[in-house]
Amino acid sequence: MLWLGLLAVLIVAYLILHRIYVQRKTCTSKVTLYGKTVIVTGSNTGIGKATALALALRGARVILACRSKQRGEDAARDIRRESGNDEVVFMQLDLASLKSIRSFVENFLKTESRLDVLINNAGLVAAGRTEDGLGLIFGVNHIGPFLLTNLLLERLKECAPSRVVNVSSYGHDLGTIDFNCINTHKRLALGTSNMDLLNTYCHSKLCNVLFTHELAKRLKGTGVTCYSLHPGVVRSELGRHMNSWYINILKSIFEILIQTDEMSGSQTTLYCTLEEGIEPLSGRYFSDCVVRDVKPEAKDDEIARKLWDISERLSGMA
């Protein structure tokens, strides 16, 4: 259990230093979104739902792209009531299914004339595989958003200036990309212990940053810009599939230190969605509404291109 104690100490140390030395910032943009359409994945709960509510309050037509029909419809009803905006609709999307992603895009393109912002917010920490045989964390956190984004790019270009916002995590700094493991096992890493799953999650968040880095290069001159980010740290359902005793330990550590307000946790997502003048920073990573530098591996052109090529193949695009 030594590793668990060490992990707890590191997490507490990080959060204390973060609280002391980093002044949390909020999105102060006054931009309204009347006549604009935004997709937010994983928006039936947590930061995703708070983000969708904030955008609905600004007048956007908001598409809640979620796996659960019941929870998605309930969330849409809640947001319509709280925002007074009737242009909030649920559309079913399961990022663990390439078929579901393609079906969602087909339905969206048939029924919606605009797409101004795509927010890839959904993510999970769980063992298992997708219906297409990918590691579940790899499939849902990276391959699914990769395919979804690429299938919607033409509509985003038609509505330019438009944006893609990829919710990553500060955990990307602990991630690595093992291409041998991806090619052999269609996973980012092996192992199913809680520590293994957390490591794989960090690897997937590095994928988000690299995807954004490469996407920005491919979108240059199109009027579509993209950003990755670390959202606020809040209690969420991210680890709901992990062992309950482990989650309870982490919750007890976070009880005092963690930021509990989902709306506060959505501020950097909102900043990357709304802030004017950040277009020259396309492809960059943000935290606390400020652009941040990333480690060399997270902005390596060769690694980013290789990940893109493998992602095309595994998503059925190549």
Side-chain angles (χ1 to χ4, degrees):
M1 301 300 288
L2 179 61
W3 64 267
L4 184 57
L6 178 60
L7 176 63
V9 169
L10 290 174
I11 291 173
V12 170
Y14 170 83
L15 290 172
I16 291 174
L17 291 172
H18 193 269
R19 277 290 182 90
I20 294 173
Y21 294 109
V22 180
Q23 178 64 43
R24 298 208 62 86
K25 298 184 179 180
T26 59
C27 176
T28 58
S29 172
K30 304 301 182 184
V31 169
T32 58
L33 297 172
Y34 296 100
K36 306 288 188 181
T37 299
V38 181
I39 293 174
V40 186
T41 68
S43 44
N44 62 289
T45 188
I47 291 175
K49 186 177 180 182
T51 300
L53 173 59
L55 299 175
L57 286 166
R58 291 173 184 260
R61 178 171 175 80
V62 184
I63 310 299
L64 307 186
C66 314
R67 182 180 60 83
S68 169
K69 184 174 186 294
Q70 183 63 56
R71 297 182 71 185
E73 290 178 342
D74 288 347
R77 185 164 50 251
D78 290 344
I79 294 171
R80 286 194 297 267
R81 183 183 66 251
E82 292 181 49
S83 67
N85 181 350
D86 290 333
E87 297 294 305
V88 180
V89 298
F90 161 75
M91 292 180 64
Q92 193 161 33
L93 170 66
D94 183 358
L95 289 168
S97 165
L98 300 180
K99 179 180 178 181
S100 174
I101 295 168
R102 293 182 180 278
S103 177
F104 170 87
V105 171
E106 181 181 6
N107 183 35
F108 177 84
L109 295 178
K110 283 181 179 178
T111 59
E112 301 290 333
S113 60
R114 297 194 60 85
L115 179 57
D116 299 274
V117 184
L118 168 62
I119 302 177
N120 289 310
N121 166 81
L124 56 68
V125 181
R129 290 188 177 271
T130 70
E131 69 175 37
D132 305 287
L134 302 170
L136 191 59
I137 293 174
F138 182 45
V140 171
N141 293 5
H142 171 62
I143 294 296
F146 175 88
L147 177 61
L148 178 67
T149 301
N150 276 283
L151 293 179
L152 290 170
L153 279 184
E154 288 307 312
R155 181 58 54 83
L156 284 162
K157 291 175 183 178
E158 292 169 5
C159 299
S162 53
R163 297 183 181 186
V164 177
V165 178
N166 295 320
V167 178
S168 179
S169 165
Y170 64 78
H172 81 273
D173 200 44
L174 301 175
T176 59
I177 306 297
D178 184 343
F179 288 110
N180 289 329
C181 189
I182 294 175
N183 282 318
T184 303
H185 304 285
K186 297 184 180 181
R187 295 173 61 172
L188 287 166
L190 302 178
T192 58
S193 71
N194 287 315
M195 196 63 189
D196 292 331
L197 296 180
L198 286 175
N199 285 335
T200 304
Y201 173 78
C202 291
H203 303 334
S204 74
K205 295 293 102 177
L206 177 58
C207 287
N208 297 156
V209 177
L210 286 163
F211 169 44
T212 307
H213 177 79
E214 178 66 15
L215 181 63
K217 294 179 178 295
R218 294 173 183 249
L219 290 175
K220 191 172 182 178
T222 66
V224 184
T225 54
C226 57
Y227 315 91
S228 63
L229 64 98
H230 165 60
V233 182
V234 302
R235 294 191 189 92
S236 72
E237 297 183 7
L238 179 68
R240 61 187 178 275
H241 300 292
M242 297 173 67
N243 291 343
S244 59
W245 66 266
Y246 187 85
I247 294 300
N248 287 335
I249 290 174
L250 292 182
K251 281 183 177 179
S252 66
I253 295 171
F254 292 166
E255 188 66 32
I256 297 175
L257 296 173
I258 206 166
Q259 185 178 334
T260 60
D261 177 29
E262 286 87 356
M263 190 56 75
S264 296
S266 69
Q267 292 305 300
T268 305
T269 303
L270 294 172
Y271 180 89
C272 291
T273 299
L274 300 166
E275 187 68 15
E276 297 175 305
I278 64 171
E279 290 80 6
L281 298 174
S282 183
R284 299 289 299 277
Y285 169 82
F286 290 75
S287 177
D288 288 312
C289 301
V290 176
V291 65
R292 308 284 185 182
D293 198 14
V294 294
K295 65 180 181 178
E297 185 181 358
K299 54 184 177 183
D300 185 289
D301 291 343
E302 183 178 352
I303 295 174
R305 283 195 299 270
K306 189 172 182 178
L307 177 63
W308 185 285
D309 292 342
I310 288 176
S311 301
E312 279 191 331
R313 174 169 56 83
L314 293 178
S315 65
M317 289 179 56

